[in-house]
Amino acid sequence: MRDIATATLTGNVTREVELRPLPLGNAVARLRVASGTRRRSGEQWVERTNYFTVEVYGPQAALCAERLGKGSRVVVDGELDWREWTDQEQNRREAVVLRARQILFERTVSTPSRESEPGKGDGSPDGESVASAAAASPAGTDDVPF
């Protein structure tokens, strides 16, 4: 049995979704999600925001790019993926990314491209689920991270 690290994340999208095609014709959407937490520091509670990168593959990637914008609230269930690479200045870099298996759109936020579409981007909780996003990175994704 192989080991798998999974996580569930709730939070708000911090910027517009990046959508990129992959060499084999699939697509990948990259989201940054902010999630707040409270920790006790001595006698006081301290608010802290954590930022996570989420990747969604295949048809669900296009739907995320279409429906989500800065401020949208999401629930993401996925697998943690640790990556290591060398940047253009030859510095060793590493990151942990959450590869989405499922995304629930709790609340979408209007953007100019979606404001004219009825029922989209109205800021109301819609509870729409984007189920079964590919858990594994498709072959040929050497261009990720972008």
Side-chain angles (χ1 to χ4, degrees):
M1 183 168 125
R2 83 179 185 138
D3 293 334
I4 232 170
T6 62
T8 301
L9 168 67
T10 61
N12 295 327
V13 176
T14 63
R15 61 183 180 214
E16 294 305 314
V17 175
E18 297 174 43
L19 181 65
R20 293 191 60 192
L22 295 173
L24 296 179
N26 291 323
V28 60
R30 180 172 254 196
L31 298 75
R32 283 293 281 176
V33 178
S35 182
T37 185
R38 291 180 63 194
R39 297 226 166 107
R40 194 171 181 116
S41 176
E43 294 296 316
Q44 298 199 358
W45 287 94
V46 178
E47 299 280 336
R48 179 173 177 203
T49 304
N50 295 299
Y51 297 90
F52 301 93
T53 300
V54 176
E55 291 179 348
V56 184
Y57 292 89
Q60 293 82 13
L63 187 57
C64 286
E66 176 187 321
R67 295 292 314 263
L68 298 175
K70 184 176 179 179
S72 296
R73 184 147 182 85
V74 294
V75 178
V76 182
D77 175 57
E79 294 181 16
L80 297 171
D81 182 34
W82 178 79
R83 296 185 183 160
E84 182 179 32
W85 71 98
T86 302
D87 66 15
Q88 294 176 347
E89 291 81 35
Q90 301 305 307
N91 296 315
R92 190 175 142 259
R93 309 277 302 200
E94 57 186 68
V96 175
V97 173
L98 183 61
R99 267 192 282 170
R101 290 188 295 204
Q102 286 190 3
I103 295 182
L104 174 67
F105 299 167
E106 280 192 303
R107 180 181 65 240
T108 57
V109 174
S110 295
T111 64
S113 64
R114 292 191 302 257
E115 286 177 351
S116 61
E117 297 180 46
K120 291 190 178 181
D122 58 4
S124 62
D126 56 17
E128 180 178 347
S129 176
V130 178
S132 302
S137 174
T141 60
D142 294 339
D143 61 341
V144 177
F146 12 136

